[in-house]
Amino acid sequence: MTRVLIADDQALLRGSFRVLVDSAPGLEVVGEASDGVEAVALARRFAPDVVLMDVRMPSMDGIEATRRICAASEVRVLMLTTFDLDEYVYAALRAGASGFLLKDTRPADLLSAISIVASGEALLAPSVTRRLVAEFARLPTGPVKRLEGVTAREQEVLALIARGLSNDEIAARLHVGIATVKTHIGRLLHKLAARDRAQLVIAAYESGLVRPTSPA
């Protein structure tokens, strides 16, 4: 059973999400939070598998709540936003979120997203990654992070991930099998202490390996 915590400042939305999640086989809601402070407290109390986290909430927003939850546990966070790729998306991923969805996402897609994130994957489709490139371009340049112990081939794979290529596309570009690509990704996750593919994208840009001004 996948345990879900819902964090949203709108009671009507929380109620709707609860009904939807509780009606799905294998999913159950373990709590509801009306702001970020409550979300952090309930995540600590119930240790859910996934938190559905609204971005904009009073007292503490979803970004800070996500940062605190991910820093203290293995709980996975799926961000919910009203606006497609608004200014909070990069911050959400940087804080440790495993992906994001629009609030007008179809119910079936939301349930699928919860399962994907709970399984340890990132909900960051290649098409979404490509559109995130433009967001990186607007951000001020920070200190460059080194890719400690990452081989040249792994850097190639990391760069292609950051440019939004799927595993199949990476395999075709490098003329290797899917299993080899997955092996490289597994090693990257370990070496960079990244939770998932979303965090690899962040690492690629913050290391300077990929420049946001020239998306693929």
Side-chain angles (χ1 to χ4, degrees), residues 67-87:
R67 183 176 295 109
R68 297 189 185 193
I69 290 171
C70 292
S73 69
E74 294 301 314
V75 174
R76 317 223 4 132
V77 176
L78 179 58
M79 303 298 299
L80 297 172
T81 179
T82 303
F83 302 103
D84 192 7
L85 282 180
D86 64 20
E87 66 272 23

Side-chain angles (χ1 to χ4, degrees), residues 80-155:
L80 297 172
T81 179
T82 303
F83 302 103
D84 192 7
L85 282 180
D86 64 20
E87 66 272 23
Y88 298 102
V89 172
Y90 170 80
L93 296 177
R94 188 68 186 84
S98 294
F100 70 95
L101 285 177
L102 296 180
K103 286 188 176 180
D104 63 358
T105 295
R106 294 186 308 169
D109 291 339
L110 175 60
L111 296 176
S112 176
I114 293 172
S115 297
I116 289 171
V117 169
S119 71
E121 296 295 324
L123 191 74
L124 196 61
S127 61
V128 174
T129 306
R130 293 187 183 106
R131 291 159 64 195
L132 275 171
V133 169
E135 295 298 302
F136 282 101
R138 299 190 304 105
L139 298 170
T141 303
V144 174
K145 295 187 176 182
R146 299 181 61 186
L147 299 175
E148 296 289 349
V150 178
T151 67
R153 174 59 95 177
E154 289 164 354
Q155 289 188 35

Side-chain angles (χ1 to χ4, degrees), residues 191-206:
K191 291 180 179 181
L192 299 178
R195 285 185 169 216
D196 48 42
R197 199 182 192 94
Q199 303 304 303
L200 291 180
V201 173
I202 298 293
Y205 282 99
E206 293 192 338

Side-chain angles (χ1 to χ4, degrees), residues 8 10 16-17 23 25-26 28 31 33 40 46 56 61 70 87 110 120-121 126 133 156 197 199 201:
D8 196 295
Q10 298 183 48
S16 298
F17 287 142
S23 68
E28 67 171 347
V40 173
F46 294 119
R56 304 178 186 185
D61 64 26
C70 292
E87 66 272 23
L110 175 60
E121 296 295 324
V133 169
E156 286 185 82
R197 199 182 192 94
Q199 303 304 303
V201 173

Side-chain angles (χ1 to χ4, degrees), residues 12-52:
L12 182 60
L13 278 178
R14 290 200 310 274
S16 298
F17 287 142
R18 173 182 277 277
V19 171
L20 175 64
V21 173
D22 278 339
S23 68
L27 302 178
E28 67 171 347
V29 175
V30 295
E32 296 180 23
S34 60
D35 59 40
V37 173
E38 191 175 12
V40 173
L42 292 181
R44 185 180 301 116
R45 177 181 176 185
F46 294 119
D49 299 296
V50 177
V51 179
L52 286 181

